[in-house]
Amino acid sequence: MENQKECISSPFCPYVSVDCVLLGINEDKLSVLLVERKLLENNAVGYKLPGSLIYETEELDDAALRVMKEAVGHTQMSLRQFHTFGSVARTAKKEDVLWLEKESHIKVSRIVTVVYLALSKKGKTVSGLDKNETLRWFPVEDLPDLPFDHKSIVEESVNEIRNWVEREPAIVYEYLPSKFTAFQLRRTYEIIYNKKFDVRNFQKKMNLLGYIVPTDEMEVGVPHRAARYYRFNKIKYNKLRSSLNK
Amino acid sequence: MENQKECISSPFCPYVSVDCVLLGINEDKLSVLLVERKLLENNAVGYKLPGSLIYETEELDDAALRVMKEAVGHTQMSLRQFHTFGSVARTAKKEDVLWLEKESHIKVSRIVTVVYLALSKKGKTVSGLDKNETLRWFPVEDLPDLPFDHKSIVEESVNEIRNWVEREPAIVYEYLPSKFTAFQLRRTYEIIYNKKFDVRNFQKKMNLLGYIVPTDEMEVGVPHRAARYYRFNKIKYNKLRSSLNK
């Protein structure tokens, strides 16, 4: 560890990193993209969020874009700064510190990390995923061991994505075909919220919303009773969500 | 500047600070609380956001609470982490750097600041304000010269507060008496959004919302035509804002 230098100052200055949480629906499960990291013992492999220390003259947003570009091969996603995690306890686990010191050739003290969050859109593939064997989707409910506070970062990111959906339900329709059945809509909500919704209750609420409009078309060639197709009506949606200030 | 030490490391580590933006309605204007700072020339006085570098073993949230406690004498506000500003250009102005180096006895390079945001509730006074002559409310549309990127931090905070109101209009009713006239409601929106709303159009939208309920009571002893009092109905509000996931 020749290049190790300690960050010494008074007052103190920590390292600053960015970490990127890309969430998406994969195999019918809300999932997060993780990247391999080589562990110290027996060349074992672990996973972590894609991330990096920031460079000296690099803007935070640019650091996050660099990390995503390196990980998934493109930056065609709306990556938003979500939250900064800077707890002293982030570097409490000795094996995490040893791993990072080996990787980064630094003497690790405290690391404040600025977390960026994006929702991977349906159809927009993670182009690096086939080629890049070090990347893998993990269901958010079934995460492997993760270093630092990456597990709670993922958990808080999942809550934030649910907040996004609550504030802006239109997001959900980006995950559905332009015409969809009540079952498809309900399944998408069930995946995002990781819970079952009562079929009749969900259908009732759906009818009340006013912006999910039934079409005259029904499913064809299905083994069960054909279901009606619905469409998301963006104009009605915007009108219904108007408030006093617009 | 004896105590100056430079933060040297490879990779680089910047200083990390917290800054607090407390917004409130003061003299009928959306305002921000600023704190005095002594300038170098002629003992002149400038203003800045309340803030501080973080201590070595201090959590980010605790640093923000410490800053608010020092500034306003209490922490009875919902202080939320809003956004981290870390641009290299933050320390581009030489006079800002000189001022901070003198204040903090550090050699300033880059400073990443985690900004916390709170809305000062009506009635909850800033207890330090009378005693503490170094504190002052400034209308957000009429800010003095501010150091670093504090001006744009205030501007982005104002946008964020408007986002809060848009997402959660209930916030506005914390600024109104339990019964209020259409004029009072409109004025509160005009102050928050810094624009005039058309009287008839506003009244029409207000009637359509469904959770602003007319009472039988009218103003008394006013020199103009007595206006009707309305109440904010939280139960109807929550019901009307239900979504598919709840």
Side-chain angles (χ1 to χ4, degrees), chain A residues 39-194:
Chain A
L39 300 179
L40 300 175
E41 314 116 19
N42 318 319
N43 289 320
V45 157
Y47 285 88
K48 68 177 200 67
L49 289 170
S52 163
L53 294 173
I54 61 167
Y55 298 157
E56 188 160 359
T57 57
E58 185 183 44
E59 300 295 310
L60 296 174
D61 290 0
D62 292 339
L65 289 169
R66 169 172 60 83
V67 164
M68 280 321 263
K69 176 90 183 169
E70 279 170 17
V72 304
H74 66 85
T75 54
Q76 291 158 30
M77 57 194 72
S78 57
L79 199 62
R80 295 193 220 171
Q81 196 195 104
F82 157 45
H83 195 83
T84 295
F85 295 78
S87 176
V88 180
R90 299 191 72 237
T91 40
K93 270 189 284 172
K94 203 176 164 189
E95 64 266 33
D96 293 340
V97 172
L98 287 174
W99 170 78
L100 185 59
E101 289 187 343
K102 199 171 175 209
E103 280 288 307
S104 308
H105 308 290
I106 56 168
K107 181 88 189 84
V108 172
S109 55
R110 186 168 168 186
I111 308 171
V112 171
T113 195
V114 185
V115 173
Y116 283 75
L117 182 54
L119 203 51
S120 170
K121 295 204 174 163
K122 197 188 161 89
K124 276 258 163 66
T125 49
V126 175
S127 66
L129 206 52
D130 301 328
K131 291 171 270 176
N132 192 341
E133 288 172 5
T134 66
L135 279 178
R136 209 176 122 188
W137 287 109
F138 283 87
V140 297
E141 302 295 334
D142 192 16
L143 294 173
D145 272 343
L146 294 177
F148 310 108
D149 53 354
H150 287 195
K151 203 157 205 158
S152 48
I153 290 176
V154 172
E155 284 162 3
E156 292 200 33
S157 299
V158 168
N159 286 339
E160 177 68 1
I161 287 290
R162 288 172 185 159
N163 287 340
W164 288 7
V165 169
E166 195 131 335
R167 281 179 220 149
E168 198 58 83
I171 294 171
V172 171
Y173 302 92
E174 293 173 2
Y175 281 85
L176 287 160
S178 62
K179 52 180 193 181
F180 51 84
T181 64
F183 170 77
Q184 285 177 304
L185 180 60
R186 183 166 51 81
R187 274 303 295 148
T188 306
Y189 266 89
E190 288 181 345
I191 290 166
I192 294 171
Y193 285 89
N194 191 37

Side-chain angles (χ1 to χ4, degrees), chain A residues 176-181 184 215 217-218 229-232:
Chain A
L176 287 160
S178 62
K179 52 180 193 181
F180 51 84
T181 64
Q184 285 177 304
T215 71
E217 292 174 73
M218 307 293 278
Y229 281 118
Y230 292 81
R231 280 183 190 280
F232 170 63

Side-chain angles (χ1 to χ4, degrees), chain B residues 108-125:
Chain B
V108 173
S109 53
R110 186 169 168 185
I111 308 171
V112 171
T113 195
V114 185
V115 173
Y116 283 75
L117 183 54
L119 204 50
S120 170
K121 294 204 177 162
K122 197 189 160 88
K124 276 258 164 66
T125 49

Side-chain angles (χ1 to χ4, degrees), chain A residues 5-9 13 15, chain B residues 5-13 15:
Chain A
K5 287 183 196 169
E6 197 164 357
C7 179
I8 305 166
S9 72
C13 66
Y15 288 102
Chain B
K5 285 183 196 168
E6 196 164 359
C7 179
I8 304 165
S9 73
S10 167
F12 141 90
C13 67
Y15 289 103

Side-chain angles (χ1 to χ4, degrees), chain B residues 2-219:
Chain B
E2 264 177 16
N3 290 332
Q4 274 201 7
K5 285 183 196 168
E6 196 164 359
C7 179
I8 304 165
S9 73
S10 167
F12 141 90
C13 67
Y15 289 103
V16 173
S17 65
V18 292
D19 280 302
C20 294
V21 181
L22 181 66
L23 293 171
I25 294 177
N26 188 55
E27 293 178 357
D28 251 19
K29 280 176 183 148
L30 188 61
S31 304
V32 61
L33 197 74
L34 298 177
V35 62
E36 245 181 54
R37 62 180 188 124
K38 289 205 171 50
L39 300 180
L40 300 176
E41 315 115 20
N42 318 321
N43 289 320
V45 157
Y47 285 87
K48 69 177 198 68
L49 289 169
S52 162
L53 293 173
I54 62 168
Y55 298 157
E56 188 160 357
T57 57
E58 185 182 44
E59 300 295 310
L60 296 174
D61 291 359
D62 292 340
L65 289 169
R66 169 173 60 82
V67 164
M68 280 320 263
K69 175 93 182 165
E70 279 169 18
V72 305
H74 66 86
T75 53
Q76 289 159 30
M77 58 195 71
S78 57
L79 198 62
R80 294 192 221 171
Q81 195 196 105
F82 157 45
H83 196 83
T84 295
F85 295 78
S87 176
V88 180
R90 298 191 72 239
T91 41
K93 272 190 283 173
K94 205 177 163 188
E95 64 267 31
D96 293 341
V97 172
L98 287 173
W99 170 79
L100 185 60
E101 289 187 343
K102 200 172 172 207
E103 281 288 309
S104 307
H105 309 289
I106 56 167
K107 181 88 189 84
V108 173
S109 53
R110 186 169 168 185
I111 308 171
V112 171
T113 195
V114 185
V115 173
Y116 283 75
L117 183 54
L119 204 50
S120 170
K121 294 204 177 162
K122 197 189 160 88
K124 276 258 164 66
T125 49
V126 175
S127 66
L129 206 51
D130 302 328
K131 293 170 268 174
N132 193 340
E133 289 171 6
T134 66
L135 278 179
R136 210 176 122 189
W137 286 110
F138 283 88
V140 297
E141 301 296 333
D142 192 16
L143 294 173
D145 272 343
L146 295 176
F148 309 108
D149 53 354
H150 287 194
K151 203 157 207 160
S152 49
I153 289 176
V154 173
E155 284 163 2
E156 292 199 35
S157 300
V158 168
N159 286 339
E160 179 67 2
I161 287 291
R162 289 171 186 159
N163 287 341
W164 288 7
V165 168
E166 195 132 335
R167 280 179 221 150
E168 197 58 83
I171 293 171
V172 171
Y173 302 92
E174 294 173 1
Y175 282 84
L176 288 160
S178 63
K179 51 181 193 181
F180 51 84
T181 64
F183 170 77
Q184 286 177 304
L185 180 59
R186 184 165 51 80
R187 273 304 293 148
T188 306
Y189 266 89
E190 287 181 344
I191 289 166
I192 294 170
Y193 285 90
N194 190 39
K195 64 175 180 187
K196 292 273 170 203
F197 289 96
D198 178 73
V199 179
R200 291 176 69 177
N201 203 16
F202 189 89
Q203 177 85 47
K204 211 173 99 185
K205 280 184 183 171
M206 192 181 128
N207 295 341
L208 282 172
L209 282 180
Y211 56 77
I212 301 169
V213 185
T215 71
D216 293 333
E217 292 175 73
M218 307 292 280
E219 285 181 312

